[in-house]
Amino acid sequence: MDGGRNQSATGEEHAVQPIQLLAPDGTLTEDETYTPYVEALDESTLRDLYRSMVVERRVDAEATSLQRQGQLALWVQALGQEGAQAGTVTALRETDMIFPTYREHVMALHRGITPQQLLTQFRATAHSGWRPQDHRFNTYGIVLASQMLHATGWAMGAQRDAAAGDEAAREELVLACFGDGASSQGDVHESMVFASSYELPVLFFVQNNQWAISVPATTQSRGPLADRAAGYGFEGVRVDGNDVLASYAVAARMAEQVRGGGPKLIESVTYRMGAHTTADDPTKYRTADEVEEWGAKDPVARYSLWLRGRGLIDDAFVDAVEAEAKDLAADLRRSIHELTPVTLEENFDTVYAEPHRQIEVEKAWLRDYEAGFAEDSAAGGKGDA
Amino acid sequence: MVDTFNLPDVGEGLTEAEVVSWRVAVGDTVAVNDIVVEIETAKSLVELPVPFAGEVRELVVAEGETVEVGSPLIRIRAEGAGDDEDDEDDGAESATSAAGAGPGDGAGEPTSAAAASSSGSSAGSSAGSSAGASSDSGALIGSGPKADAPRRRPRTRHADLGLVDDSDLPPMPAPAGAPAGAAGQPRHGRDLAEMVAKASPPVRALAKRLGVAVWELVGSGREGQVTRDDVERRAQQKKAAPGEIPAEPTTPPEPTFNGKLRPEAEREERITVRGVRKATAANVTDMAQNVPHVSVFKEIDVSRTMEVRAALRQDPSYEGLSVSPMLFAAKAIIWAARRNPQINSSWHESHYVLKNYVNLGIAAATPRGLVVPVIHEAQTFSTRGLAAAITQLTVDAREGRTTPAEMQGGTLSITNIGPLGLDGGTPILPPGQSAIVALGQVRKKPWVVDGQVVPRDVMTIGGSFDHRLIDGEHAGRFITDVGSVLEEPGLLID
């Protein structure tokens, strides 16, 4: 990697250039370390990478519209970050536990979470639309960086399971997702210190999308976020997050080393093309030129070019994926009304893994309390008119 | 069928938005998610995609107009649907009633919409503020999912605490002198109540040791926590009066309506003191604390004044001018001040100053609060001139155009409390002045004239005076003089 400085408005004055295999024009460059990982991918996986990005992008757009139509309280767009997420999640095993932020929609769909389940929390009908264990994908962490401690704690548990003779745990990897904004949180520091001290199998994955709401990444960190890993005593790598192949290769290589080894950090340099959330207006703090510049580095466009060049996809395939995405979006629109609010009782059932006396007591009390209202309405609506 | 897209909350807790520009016109055909309008919220400009396909029937809100969340924006006629008026009505109705209810509330049923707006406002008027998403009607009503509407149904009973099967647990020691009320109560019920009672583990342990049931106690600690003292006090009481039955915890009174004086307002509102309110507060505090006030009152027959007033009102030269009792009172006050110089003065500790002119302050209630504009050199005005000055000054004050200069330098003031339906009061003096006259309401009252009770126009005049330099005698003579003029306006003829 060269040490040249590339000054731009969006954080690329950092000295270390991110690893890139696939250029925005769709040309693939050779890299001694990483190319072998890409070459090992079979054709169906290569096509799935494309499909997962395109489908999520369509779901993302539908969810944004649904929010604008009053059907969701909030939506968090992943637009522009599909490559970083698709490449990384594909490099993991299905059994690896993922601790997401609230923007890892590509990863969630990849793990079999449905769009409806994904939207549940944003429609405020439940705290989470899925059970983490069913998908090895934790609930979305709304409190910035809280998931980092959960991830490190989970890895400590896995390490102990392994010490107790659990063979599966010996091979386990935990993916800890965070963003450039969260990188300033103390939780990230603590999670990295513990991961390093205990040599835990945590792959730290920061998507540097250049903006922490309205604060540029260059304000959060004067140097590359990847460099911070050195301070904790483990390796950090920068990758072009808009290059799905490099994202895959870097994650695959790092994952090998994390498994049974110690933590690593990937800084995925990408760009949030949309707003921070639907409650944000990015035109207030960034220029149209900047957005345009990053739009030209779109992860889907460049990957599509490359796949077509290799003859891996054709119009029929692209149309089929489009149709699949469109159907999924239409289903989502239809089914959004079917999401029913979680009952308070159900909330009690998910507090502890095992039956818990106090929770049972409180649940019974609540059931009785609620029943008090039902009796009132059965009595003929004798309200205080 | 005609679908209505209502303004959603596109941010987090926004209440309204301005329609900046429409991207479609009536008659256009739109598809789901087509951008139809740009709105500006408190946070940002937002383009709204429409949730329906069909033909645009109506743009409900004009560009530049600001509407509340939940208000209808645009109506779309579904493709291939009929277009009769009934359909349109149905669409509007479902939008209105759904907007009144929260998700999961059976949105769209008129009954639940009515329940949600039981505070007295109609379902329609509550649509803007308590909009929720329709969860079962299938209609996108365009107002983000909200928390459930607050329950307003009264509780009919306390939760039965005897719910939990704890037969697997060892029996708890029966509290010494257990309250009789607890006898019929299942043991496990008490156990639950102890869990619910707010007490720290050491306090619970103490209670157990002393044989006090924590749930009986009303905590005196922070946020109702049962404290060590509460437990010890109860233990003492029990020792003193064994077998005493503690009162059942009383049910808090059921709130009427939603329990507020004004259902639409917050329970308490914090209003920052600024502007006129701030100045008023500073002035009255200073004057009330530093000036010993004395007040006098007098009831007078102003029938003749009212006759003159009626005459002046017919006079073309008074057209457009306010010919009120206050005009005559002002004239009377100027006349009386000439005869009672002590009244028109200011106190300066070592001396006081008699003013040989009247800068007449007139207290006026304005939208901004109380202001006291001043008619300078009022003694130089003709009756008509004074009428013109009072008219101008009241108009300026009501419209908030009174300048600070117009409020300076008053020597003597009037406060007209008659329009409030009042007869008398004890106003606080304006800063730097020694007298303020309060004018009561003019009303027909039985009055004795020449030994006969007859209906006359009667008014109470009075006021407050700086008692340091105005004795009761001064105040009395002055008010009597003012009264004389109002009783016999002919005195004004010099």
Side-chain angles (χ1 to χ4, degrees), chain B residues 72-259:
Chain B
L73 285 179
I74 185 172
R75 298 193 207 277
I76 310 285
R77 188 171 62 89
E79 284 162 277
D83 193 21
D84 51 274
E85 288 307 303
D86 285 350
D87 278 348
E88 191 165 8
D89 287 346
D90 287 349
E93 190 188 327
S94 76
T96 307
S97 55
D105 228 352
E109 295 168 30
T111 47
S112 66
S117 60
S118 66
S119 61
S121 59
S122 74
S125 70
S126 70
S129 54
S130 62
S134 163
S135 58
D136 58 359
S137 68
L140 290 154
I141 59 103
S143 40
K146 292 280 168 63
D148 289 346
R151 288 189 198 273
R152 296 198 182 113
R153 280 176 296 155
R155 292 285 293 156
T156 51
R157 61 180 172 84
H158 281 281
D160 177 6
L161 301 178
L163 289 166
V164 183
D165 178 15
D166 59 356
S167 49
D168 58 319
L169 296 173
M172 283 172 45
Q185 187 123 21
R187 202 202 62 102
H188 45 254
R190 194 174 63 243
D191 182 29
L192 168 58
E194 282 189 0
M195 249 166 186
V196 174
K198 284 183 178 173
S200 65
V203 171
R204 282 173 198 276
L206 175 73
K208 222 170 203 175
R209 210 162 53 240
L210 296 178
V212 169
V214 175
W215 63 277
E216 288 179 16
L217 302 176
V218 177
S220 66
R222 200 160 53 88
E223 291 173 355
Q225 273 210 348
V226 174
T227 65
R228 189 169 282 271
D229 283 349
D230 295 334
V231 171
E232 283 169 350
R233 201 176 308 118
R234 178 68 191 141
Q236 286 295 324
Q237 283 170 4
K238 291 177 94 163
K239 221 183 276 174
E244 182 207 351
I245 301 161
E248 279 291 305
T250 51
T251 315
E254 294 295 350
T256 54
F257 247 23
N258 67 356

Side-chain angles (χ1 to χ4, degrees), chain A residues 94-95 97 111 130-139 154 172:
Chain A
E94 292 295 307
T95 50
M97 190 69 184
R111 282 296 177 87
W130 61 91
R131 286 172 181 264
Q133 277 289 28
D134 294 349
H135 304 277
R136 302 291 286 173
F137 191 83
N138 201 38
T139 56
W154 187 276
E172 190 165 344

Side-chain angles (χ1 to χ4, degrees), chain A residues 10 72 75 201 203 208 221 239 241 246 272 294 333 351 358 368:
Chain A
T10 54
L72 301 178
W75 179 246
L203 179 54
N208 180 354
S221 183
V239 61
R272 188 191 80 211
W294 278 93
R333 170 166 292 271
V351 177
Q358 184 174 352
D368 189 61

